[in-house]
Amino acid sequence: SAASDVYKRQMNKSVSKDLANNYQNSIDAEPGETLDFKIHFRNTGTTVLKNVAVYDLLGKGMTFVPGTTRIFNAGHPNGTFEKDNLFTNGFNIGDYKGGTDATITYKVKIDDDEKIYPCGKTVTVENNSAAAIDVATIHDKVQVRVTRKCGETPKTPETPKELPHTGASEVVLGVGIAAVPVSYTHLRAHETVL
């Protein structure tokens, strides 16, 4: 219908490794890693959308990096820093006439928490965003697959303890025994010649 065409808009949320600028809808990551998130909002209709508000809901085990929220739009083509309200009340990104858009970027750190991300398991965390105008709210999300690699901690401590204890003492004894007769024989031969 004509009324629905007037209010057409789209939102796309994506994620990239920190500073990699390779944004996708899902990503593999490790605990302790920082990721770059991007929300792209576009008015694809013909009517001005007023007071567009953007919200974000972080998944469990993720922490927003304060001071990293930026918005890029016609008024700020090189980006400007925003207040960190994206995860509390959201914030108003302004009015958008047909064909205009905005991009919001921010950084998130994956918590290095073994209770949330146990060793050897992959935990998928969803990160949801919403853009609201008076007539409706649109949503998009990304998936972050977090895998904690298991270290070989039981094997590592045993190896150094055993090597110096047995291996090194045998080598020292062997060298000592071999060296003693050689030096005495050499001294005796020398004394006889004189």
Side-chain angles (χ1 to χ4, degrees):
S1 68
S4 62
D5 288 345
V6 169
Y7 292 109
K8 286 176 84 175
R9 66 258 177 251
Q10 41 176 219
M11 187 175 78
N12 179 43
K13 179 150 191 193
S14 53
V15 60
S16 168
K17 298 275 185 178
D18 190 28
L19 305 175
N21 201 24
N22 181 20
Y23 288 90
Q24 300 169 34
N25 291 331
S26 65
I27 198 167
D28 294 310
E30 294 178 17
E33 209 169 355
T34 299
L35 301 175
D36 294 337
F37 282 82
K38 179 162 63 173
I39 301 167
H40 181 248
F41 172 84
R42 182 173 195 83
N43 181 351
T44 57
T46 54
T47 299
V48 174
L49 300 177
K50 295 189 176 228
N51 297 315
V52 176
V54 177
Y55 305 86
D56 199 279
L57 180 63
L58 283 178
K60 185 180 179 185
M62 293 185 169
T63 303
F64 167 66
V65 179
T68 61
T69 307
R70 295 177 76 186
I71 184 167
F72 299 81
N73 57 20
H76 302 285
N78 297 319
T80 183
F81 284 97
E82 275 288 337
K83 292 178 186 169
D84 294 334
N85 293 343
L86 194 58
F87 307 98
T88 50
N89 304 322
F91 63 87
N92 186 322
I93 62 169
D95 301 345
Y96 292 84
K97 61 184 181 181
T100 60
D101 61 353
T103 300
I104 295 116
T105 62
Y106 59 93
K107 293 182 185 292
V108 168
K109 185 165 184 174
I110 299 169
D111 298 343
D112 195 356
D113 185 337
E114 287 193 53
K115 289 176 185 166
I116 300 170
Y117 306 114
C119 141
K121 299 211 166 149
T122 299
V123 179
T124 301
V125 182
E126 285 192 349
N127 182 269
N128 296 282
S129 294
I133 54 172
D134 289 341
V135 291
T137 302
I138 54 174
H139 300 268
D140 197 19
K141 63 186 174 186
V142 295
Q143 288 191 333
V144 180
R145 292 177 301 274
V146 182
T147 305
R148 179 184 295 279
K149 293 177 184 166
C150 295
E152 296 180 352
T153 43
K155 293 179 185 174
T156 312
E158 290 174 17
T159 312
K161 284 179 189 170
E162 288 179 18
L163 277 178
H165 198 274
T166 54
S169 57
E170 286 172 7
V171 172
V172 170
L173 282 176
V175 169
I177 294 164
V180 171
V182 171
S183 57
Y184 275 108
T185 311
H186 178 68
L187 283 173
R188 285 188 185 142
H190 196 274
E191 285 171 7
T192 315
V193 172
L194 284 175

